[in-house]
Amino acid sequence: MVRCSVTDPNALRHAVDKYFSEFPGEIICALQLWYEGLGGQGVPTADELTAIQDAIAATPGWKDAGEVRYEKFGVQKSYKCEAMKTHDSKGRIMIQHTFKRDALYKEPNGTILKLVTTELWNLRCFEIKNGKMTGGMIKIHPESDRAKALVEVKS
């Protein structure tokens, strides 16, 4: 993690580049970068968030992805890496490419699940009944037998 002042454009650019060189995901928001990549503490100001968003948007290969819901940060303006990352910096396969967010998956028992979030080590789903999400969130480890038995439901 690089601690830097977001008011110094050169320091911010360097910190963002360094973080993205090791960032395993392909979607990010300014708050995630603030806390995880810049060592930010507390709540960033609106000006700080704008500076971070501008730095992400100016990074080659990253484009506006609209609003995305994050478990930790709620709905945030987000950016997506145009180059698909299939492995993290340690060579581990990224689950975001094994499973599709917002897709429907069928379990062997016939239960239909909607995958709402793919995190590095969790699939987070809701059961679908009569076309609606029901019950509590279901967490599935992506390398578990349960995850391996899921079959994508084509619309």
Side-chain angles (χ1 to χ4, degrees), residues 1-154:
M1 174 180 349
V2 176
R3 292 187 185 271
C4 82
S5 168
V6 297
T7 58
D8 178 351
N10 290 330
L12 180 58
R13 172 85 268 130
H14 174 74
V16 169
D17 288 344
K18 179 167 179 25
Y19 184 70
F20 281 163
S21 72
E22 297 180 2
F23 181 63
E26 66 178 49
I27 196 155
I28 195 165
C29 68
L31 278 178
Q32 182 177 0
L33 185 57
W34 165 260
Y35 291 114
E36 296 177 6
L38 304 177
Q41 297 178 352
V43 178
T45 66
D47 289 341
E48 289 171 324
L49 284 177
T50 298
I52 295 167
Q53 289 171 343
D54 291 346
I56 297 170
T59 303
W62 287 82
K63 66 178 183 174
D64 187 332
E67 292 188 342
V68 174
R69 178 176 300 280
Y70 295 82
E71 181 179 3
K72 294 179 183 177
F73 310 117
V75 176
Q76 298 293 320
K77 180 177 181 179
S78 298
Y79 301 86
K80 182 174 177 66
C81 183
E82 294 176 304
M84 181 183 273
K85 294 182 178 185
T86 58
H87 293 77
D88 69 9
S89 61
K90 294 183 173 138
R92 296 176 297 205
I93 294 174
M94 298 293 295
I95 66 164
Q96 289 90 339
H97 303 292
T98 305
F99 298 94
K100 298 176 186 170
R101 190 170 63 91
D102 292 329
L104 298 177
Y105 289 88
K106 187 178 208 177
E107 293 190 285
N109 67 4
T111 302
I112 302 293
L113 301 175
K114 180 173 184 176
L115 179 61
V116 294
T117 304
T118 57
E119 296 176 337
L120 196 54
W121 301 112
N122 275 312
L123 303 175
R124 296 182 184 238
C125 310
F126 285 95
E127 185 175 349
I128 300 293
K129 286 186 181 174
N130 300 321
K132 296 183 180 186
M133 291 189 287
T134 63
M137 184 178 287
I138 301 165
K139 295 180 188 178
I140 302 173
H141 190 283
E143 295 175 353
S144 68
D145 290 339
R146 184 176 185 185
K148 290 174 186 173
L150 295 175
V151 176
E152 186 175 0
V153 176
K154 303 290 183 186

